[in-house]
Amino acid sequence: MMAIHPTAIVDPKASIAADVEIGAYSIIGPDVSIDSGTWVGPHVVIEGHTSIGKNNRIFQFSSLGAIPQDKKYAGEPTRLEIGDNNTIREFCTFNIGTAQDVGVTRLGNNNWIMAYVHLGHDCQIGNNTIFANNATLGGHVHIGDWVILGGFTSVHQFAIVGDHAMTAFASAVAQDVPPYVMAHGNRAVPAGINAEGLKRRGFTPEQIRRVRNAYKALYRQGLQYDAAKEAILAEAQQGHAELEPFVRFFAQSERGIIR
């Protein structure tokens, strides 16, 4: 049974599943859809063309679906899409997309988003990520699966962070971070791979060895970037699934990688 607090303002045109809970003083706009099992806390504003999947928890004072912080935005009906099983803590701000990109900001499934996180327009976030407090993404940022962003990490617009990458607190990411790489500092530089995290996710010692070898090709063997890239792609063609994130990353990366 739907539980909407009497002080909440829910536009009658909004599409709200029968068992959604909406807390006190929250505001839900006319172009919003919220699927079953989702809980919206008090003082949350959800507006714009925003769709929210199943079993999400959205805490107080978050702002989801507001217009982009982009002077070029001219009222186009762009969107925000949020998947299933996400935790979105206090004071998060997720903006809709822009006509200059794909027109949609996306957050996938099973993500743990802590307080004061900002997702700029057209950001594409994968699954199973953890963003610590005050992580901030400029517009058009792409974040892969299983990424961990330390508190106060800032990611420059158009940058890419590959699958399983990790940043330390207060990292300033100005270029692309390859898959599996740990980064730290302002500007962020590489600091090995997150081997312990990979063990916890079920990677075998042999898989971790191949990931470590890819890291060495990029950063430790004195190879030019193109040569390192070709070596990693050649190894990936041998059918090693753990190297597939590099294939996807190299196909997208245009800003150059952190050094």
Side-chain angles (χ1 to χ4, degrees), residues 124-158:
Q124 309 294 310
I125 314 302
N127 307 310
N128 300 297
T129 67
I130 299 173
F131 292 4
N133 296 337
N134 292 93
T136 298
L137 308 187
H140 317 281
V141 168
H142 287 225
I143 304 287
D145 297 339
W146 297 100
V147 169
I148 299 174
L149 298 183
F152 292 90
T153 291
S154 298
V155 184
H156 194 282
Q157 62 182 354
F158 294 101

Side-chain angles (χ1 to χ4, degrees), residues 69-86:
Q69 298 178 109
D70 186 330
K71 290 184 176 180
K72 297 185 295 298
Y73 181 72
E76 298 91 347
T78 53
R79 308 190 308 282
L80 168 67
E81 296 178 358
I82 295 173
D84 303 332
N85 304 308
N86 297 292

Side-chain angles (χ1 to χ4, degrees), residues 3-4 73 119 129 139 175 184-185 228 253:
I4 299 178
Y73 181 72
L119 304 187
T129 67
Q175 291 180 288
H184 71 98
S253 178

